[in-house]
Amino acid sequence: MSLSLLHLPSLQKCSSPISPSLPLPPCFHVPCSGRRRPRAIWRTSIACCLPRQQQQSVAVAERNETSPSVLLSERKVVRFGLPSKGRMAADTLDLLKDCQLWVKQVNPRQYVAEIPQLSNLEVWFQRPKDIVRKLLAGDLDLGIVGFDTFSEYGQGNEDLIIVHNALGYGDCRLSLAIPNHGIFEGINSLRQLSKMPQWTAVKPLRVATGFTHLGPKFMKDNGFLNVTFSIADGALEAAPAMGIADAILDLVSSGTTLKENNLKEIEGGVLLESQAILVARKKSLIEQKDVRDKTKEILERFEAHLRAVDQFTVTAHMRGSSAEEVAGRVRSQPSLSGLEGPTISPVFCKHNGKVTPDFYAIVICVPKKALYKSVQQLREIGGSGVLVSPLTYIFEEVTPRWKELLSKLEL
């Protein structure tokens, strides 16, 4: 399996090593074409063209780039990476706001901000892939990214740990798509695609994608022997029509864009389902109590809010001889069980100078989709004065995901 970089100009070998005592593989010059050079090639070109003393300085800078800019033991402030642009960025800020965490950014052009409700915490706005990279490097402690980005750039690194795997937005899937016409007209599954006789060592299946780690692994695991990949960042749907690819591997939400460009998804072609997740650097959680404390608070706020989404509190009054008798009537209705069961308490009324519990108040939590049915059932068993109000938070005695996280950290 090979990986072809279609966007690179022709490469010329340069045999100038950085150090005679450290034999290195040949490096490359990229001819100056006025176009932006790929980052990795750009660095190598610089190293090849400098005097030896400066080459060694560049080599040191290269090694330091993947190390934390400030040693973790020296940095006391907790760093939280958030997406800097796009729909993911807006939805992330909305989630934080719904959890009473307000991101305060003095200047919209600045990449650093704060959350006043969380002391000793900095917010850093970054590209999602850079959030993952900086978590690995130790420059961030927490971050919110899509699961697809986490999988592509985290590459299974054990120092990254998922704190919350379903934040409820950014839903999409990483899927393989092919044209719906020509030689692909009758191809409807990944297995059929892999068995097509057209793919040979001389003429392999060409896949355009931005997922150069997940893509090759997925194709190899599914039996594709003759396949090459071209790197592309946007407008992948145009690649087959332009004749530069046979298929694309890209993120899909509704699938409308694929259909409008005469492409189709196929059975078995979904690599992963993705949505926004909260991730952390495992080493930071283990070594820094403040990181654990901030993570716990953020996680509990998220959990309480997300559990309350589309839930309503329903309150009603009901006549009855006792709380137990009323509870029996309520529990006989399938939509009135609530989270753990109905809360029933006496309503004391005054008659002829005497205070007696003529009514009982019922409080239950019901999902939005079952709201009207629940109200109907309450009225059928004698409920009156039914009040409905939306829920904002549902806090558990112990947040399940926090308990699970501590177990993974062996703390």
Side-chain angles (χ1 to χ4, degrees):
M1 182 180 296
S2 61
L3 179 66
S4 59
L5 307 179
L6 295 184
H7 67 295
L8 298 184
S10 59
L11 304 177
Q12 300 173 351
K13 287 188 178 181
C14 166
S15 58
S16 174
I18 291 179
S19 171
S21 62
L22 296 173
L24 298 175
C27 51
F28 299 94
H29 270 310
V30 180
C32 183
S33 61
R35 292 181 291 179
R36 184 175 180 180
R37 296 176 178 179
R39 191 175 183 185
I41 304 298
W42 172 253
R43 290 184 189 144
T44 308
S45 303
I46 292 175
C48 291
C49 300
L50 292 176
R52 181 167 298 166
Q53 184 177 1
Q54 294 179 356
Q55 290 174 6
Q56 292 170 347
S57 298
V58 170
V60 171
E62 288 279 311
R63 291 194 298 270
N64 289 341
E65 183 177 353
T66 57
S67 302
S69 56
V70 180
L71 292 176
L72 188 60
S73 59
E74 297 177 0
R75 175 167 58 79
K76 302 301 181 183
V77 67
V78 179
R79 289 180 176 173
F80 189 12
L82 300 183
S84 56
K85 295 179 181 179
R87 180 67 180 272
M88 178 74 80
D91 289 347
T92 298
L93 293 178
D94 286 343
L95 172 63
L96 290 167
K97 183 171 64 175
D98 290 338
C99 297
Q100 303 299 306
L101 296 173
W102 306 86
V103 178
K104 185 178 179 182
Q105 192 175 13
V106 178
N107 186 336
R109 293 182 179 274
Q110 290 180 335
Y111 289 98
V112 64
E114 65 176 358
I115 299 176
Q117 295 79 13
L118 298 173
S119 60
N120 197 42
L121 180 139
E122 292 177 345
V123 169
W124 286 85
F125 292 102
Q126 300 285 301
R127 295 182 301 176
K129 62 183 178 182
D130 289 334
I131 290 175
V132 178
R133 288 167 174 164
K134 289 177 181 178
L135 282 167
L136 288 170
D139 294 320
L140 293 174
D141 304 301
L142 294 163
I144 291 179
V145 296
F147 180 66
D148 57 292
T149 304
F150 172 84
S151 302
E152 172 68 16
Y153 295 95
Q155 299 185 10
N157 192 294
E158 293 183 355
D159 198 33
L160 292 180
I161 190 165
I162 297 177
V163 179
H164 197 300
N165 64 348
L167 295 182
Y169 62 93
D171 298 83
C172 60
R173 57 190 178 275
L174 181 58
S175 184
L176 188 73
I178 60 176
N180 57 15
H181 56 276
I183 62 172
F184 300 101
E185 187 172 359
I187 304 300
N188 297 303
S189 70
L190 192 65
R191 185 174 182 277
Q192 289 176 329
L193 181 65
S194 67
K195 300 297 183 182
M196 290 179 68
Q198 285 86 348
W199 319 132
T200 65
V202 177
K203 187 181 178 182
L205 173 69
R206 300 167 301 162
V207 180
T209 187
F211 292 85
T212 57
H213 168 69
L214 295 175
K217 183 178 184 302
F218 176 72
M219 300 301 278
K220 181 180 179 181
D221 290 347
N222 283 278
F224 285 82
L225 301 177
N226 301 305
V227 57
T228 60
F229 292 84
S230 57
I231 299 175
D233 292 328
L236 266 68
E237 293 85 0
M242 294 178 70
I244 60 176
D246 303 302
I248 67 171
L249 181 65
D250 199 13
L251 296 175
V252 180
S253 295
S254 65
T256 302
T257 305
L258 290 179
K259 293 177 182 178
E260 290 177 348
N261 286 275
N262 299 313
L263 298 173
K264 63 181 179 181
E265 295 178 88
I266 55 178
E267 180 185 347
V270 176
L271 196 155
L272 58 79
E273 300 283 347
S274 180
Q275 64 173 299
I277 61 174
L278 174 65
V279 297
R281 186 170 186 254
K282 189 175 182 179
K283 188 174 182 180
S284 297
L285 287 170
I286 293 174
E287 296 182 356
Q288 292 184 278
K289 182 179 183 301
D290 202 23
V291 174
R292 290 198 301 275
D293 290 343
K294 295 296 185 297
T295 301
K296 181 181 181 182
E297 181 170 349
I298 293 170
L299 177 60
E300 288 192 331
R301 286 175 180 259
F302 283 0
E303 281 278 78
H305 167 67
L306 292 171
R307 193 164 186 225
V309 170
D310 292 333
Q311 295 281 342
F312 286 85
T313 299
V314 177
T315 305
H317 285 179
M318 188 179 299
R319 289 185 183 275
S321 58
S322 67
E324 290 75 15
E325 185 267 329
V326 171
R329 274 190 278 162
V330 174
R331 292 304 297 263
S332 69
Q333 303 299 314
S335 297
L336 303 181
S337 58
L339 294 176
E340 295 176 351
T343 299
I344 298 174
S345 55
V347 178
F348 292 94
C349 303
K350 189 174 183 180
H351 296 289
N352 300 321
K354 298 180 67 175
V355 178
T356 56
D358 291 347
F359 287 88
Y360 288 86
I362 301 99
V363 181
I364 57 172
C365 179
V366 300
K368 183 179 181 179
K369 60 183 180 182
L371 177 60
Y372 185 68
K373 184 178 180 180
S374 299
V375 172
Q376 281 183 311
Q377 290 181 355
L378 265 176
R379 291 155 74 186
E380 288 172 359
I381 60 175
S384 63
V386 180
L387 303 178
V388 178
S389 57
L391 277 171
T392 306
Y393 307 105
I394 301 175
F395 284 96
E396 295 279 4
E397 181 180 358
V398 178
T399 302
R401 281 188 171 88
W402 177 247
K403 188 176 180 180
E404 181 183 340
L405 179 63
L406 292 179
S407 176
K408 289 179 180 178
L409 297 174
E410 299 181 351
L411 294 175

